[in-house]
């Protein structure tokens, strides 16, 4: 209690004294001593104060962050949409090239549903129907090849049975041999093709197109189907089985075309993509060295090469004529020198012994 009373007394005296307070000197001395300590404590607790301020302003900052996140999401959606649009443009361009190569009149469509909703295991729904001129049993294709055929037509939508469905069958023709067959879907496995000729020669990599139907329904001719990936051994039966990988990816369909007008003539193999050209092979021919270590095409002893037709000694301009090497001793007897007259025909006065 005594300390409290003393403190109140000092405070009263200091207030009444004003600038001439008797405790002013003591207050200045205390400030000089404890001021640095207060600054250090203030610096230490500054983050705490900032955090309190941040909590107080967190509502406004949260609003700004939410707005930025919304803008980022919009930008990402736009970028994703641009990428998708570019892919769709490429698909449309490829489909138009396929239709142009086969002279097919098509109606472009977009796949809007996929699955078994219509009662089939491998079907898609497209966004065009009877109002667009679509009819049942029309061929459906895309830039890669055969997609399927139209099975159900509504006013503004249609159902397409895909070529890999087990209930799907299409007549096929081999690219080069013209062997005919029937392709049947097997879900996510390669198509099964039964060739009508049990002895048909077929190999891996051979390609097939649609053979076509009467009145071009349900299939127009010349649409690419796929390429052979496996061939069953010929067993002497009436038919032969081959397995074909389809060109179309049935799990990622987007832009397709319904053939509403068949070609005037069978395009046959014109719609198939061009085969890749094989890489050129480099052939290196090694020239064997001449006998005894000489260079190819050179005679030993510095002699010039002998012409192949005449046997003459060939020499370069300015080079003195050189006589060919003498034949072996066992071949010299009875053979006159090519550059000297026969010794038996020389006059007696030119070195002949009397």
């Amino acid at each position: 209690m005594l300390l409290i009373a003393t403190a109140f007394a000092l405070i009263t005296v200091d207030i009444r004294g004003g600038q001439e307070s008797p405790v002013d000197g003591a207050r200045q001395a205390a400030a000089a001593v404890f001021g640095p300590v207060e600054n250090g404590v203030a610096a230490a607790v500054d983050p705490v104060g900032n955090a309190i301020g941040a909590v107080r302003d967190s509502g406004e900052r949260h609003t700004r962050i939410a707005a930025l996140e919304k803008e980022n999401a919009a930008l990402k959606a736009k970028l994703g949409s641009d990428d998708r649009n570019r892919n769709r443009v490429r698909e449309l361009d490829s489909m138009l090239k396929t239709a142009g190569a086969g002279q097919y009149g098509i109606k472009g469509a977009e796949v809007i549903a996929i699955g078994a909703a219509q009662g089939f295991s491998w079907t898609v729904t497209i966004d065009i129907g009877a109002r667009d001129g679509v009819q049942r049993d029309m061929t459906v294709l895309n830039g890669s090849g055969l997609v399927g055929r139209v099975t159900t037509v509504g006013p503004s939508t249609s159902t397409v049975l895909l070529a890999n469905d087990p209930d799907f069958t299409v007549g096929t023709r081999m690219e080069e041999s013209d062997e005919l067959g029937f392709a049947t879907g097997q879900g996510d496995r390669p198509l099964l093709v039964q060739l009508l000729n049990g002895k048909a020669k077929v190999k891996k990599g051979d390609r097939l197109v649609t053979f076509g139907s009467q009145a071009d329904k349900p299939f127009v001719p010349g649409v690419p189907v796929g390429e052979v990936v496996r061939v069953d051994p010929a067993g002497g039966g009436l038919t032969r089985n081959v397995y074909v990988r389809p060109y179309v990816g049935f799990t990622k369909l987007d832009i397709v075309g319904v053939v509403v007008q068949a070609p005037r003539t069978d395009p046959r193999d014109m719609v198939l993509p061009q085969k890749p050209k094989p890489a050129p092979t480099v052939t290196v021919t090694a020239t064997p060295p001449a006998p005894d270590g000489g260079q190819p095409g050179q005679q030993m002893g510095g002699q010039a090469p002998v012409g192949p037709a005449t046997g003459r000694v060939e020499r370069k301009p300015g080079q003195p004529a050189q006589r060919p090497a003498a034949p072996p001793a066992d071949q010299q007897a009875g053979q006159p020198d090519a550059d000297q007259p026969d010794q038996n025909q020389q006059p007696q006065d030119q070195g002949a012994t009397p």
Side-chain angles (χ1 to χ4, degrees), residues 232-249:
D232 282 349
L238 297 178
T239 62
R240 189 175 188 184
N241 293 341
V242 298
Y243 300 88
V244 175
R245 180 179 66 244
Y247 288 123
V248 173

Side-chain angles (χ1 to χ4, degrees), residues 27-108:
R27 183 169 58 246
Q28 292 180 0
V33 174
F34 295 105
V37 178
E38 291 175 350
N39 288 334
V41 173
V45 300
D46 244 356
V48 179
N50 292 338
I52 295 173
V55 172
R56 184 170 55 250
D57 299 334
S58 61
E60 182 180 357
R61 292 186 179 183
H62 179 73
T63 303
R64 292 204 307 270
I65 292 173
L68 291 174
E69 289 178 348
K70 186 176 181 180
E71 291 179 5
N72 289 337
L75 289 173
K76 290 179 180 179
K78 182 179 180 180
L79 291 175
S81 177
D82 290 344
D83 291 340
R84 184 169 182 269
N85 288 335
R86 282 192 290 269
N87 291 334
R88 300 184 73 187
V89 168
R90 285 194 293 267
E91 290 184 17
L92 180 60
D93 182 65
S94 177
M95 185 179 67
L96 292 177
K97 290 180 179 178
T98 298
Q103 297 299 306
Y104 308 123
I106 64 172
K107 286 276 187 178

Side-chain angles (χ1 to χ4, degrees), residues 264-344:
R264 294 181 180 179
T265 58
D266 187 350
R268 299 186 68 83
D269 306 330
M270 295 177 59
V271 189
L272 283 169
Q274 293 184 354
K275 291 184 177 180
K277 296 181 179 180
T281 57
V282 180
T283 303
V284 179
T285 303
T287 304
D292 301 330
Q295 295 296 325
Q298 292 185 356
Q299 299 286 341
M300 297 303 294
Q303 298 294 334
V306 179
T310 63
R312 294 183 298 104
V313 176
E314 297 179 358
R315 58 190 179 90
K316 298 180 180 179
Q319 180 179 0
Q322 295 181 356
R323 298 176 61 183
D330 57 352
Q331 297 181 7
Q332 292 182 2
Q335 294 185 2
D337 194 338
D339 293 338
Q340 297 291 336
D342 192 351
Q343 296 294 334
N344 296 328

Side-chain angles (χ1 to χ4, degrees), residues 135-220:
Q135 299 177 5
R136 179 183 171 87
D137 286 338
M138 283 186 168
T139 307
V140 182
L141 52 78
N142 67 1
S144 300
L146 180 67
V147 173
R149 63 180 177 88
V150 177
T151 56
T152 305
V153 180
S156 58
T157 61
S158 303
T159 301
V160 178
L161 180 66
L162 301 181
N164 64 336
D165 188 274
D167 292 332
F168 186 95
T169 301
V170 58
T172 61
R173 182 175 56 80
M174 301 293 297
E175 177 184 7
E176 296 177 354
S177 63
D178 290 338
E179 295 286 352
L180 302 181
F182 292 94
T184 303
Q186 296 193 115
D188 55 358
R189 294 179 295 168
L191 305 176
L192 171 63
V193 178
Q194 287 186 316
L195 298 178
L196 301 182
N197 181 5
K199 299 180 180 179
K201 294 182 180 180
V202 58
K203 63 183 182 302
K204 183 178 179 180
D206 287 347
R207 306 188 296 180
L208 298 88
V209 298
T210 56
F211 177 70
S213 307
Q214 185 176 6
D216 299 313
K217 284 188 177 182
F219 302 107
V220 294

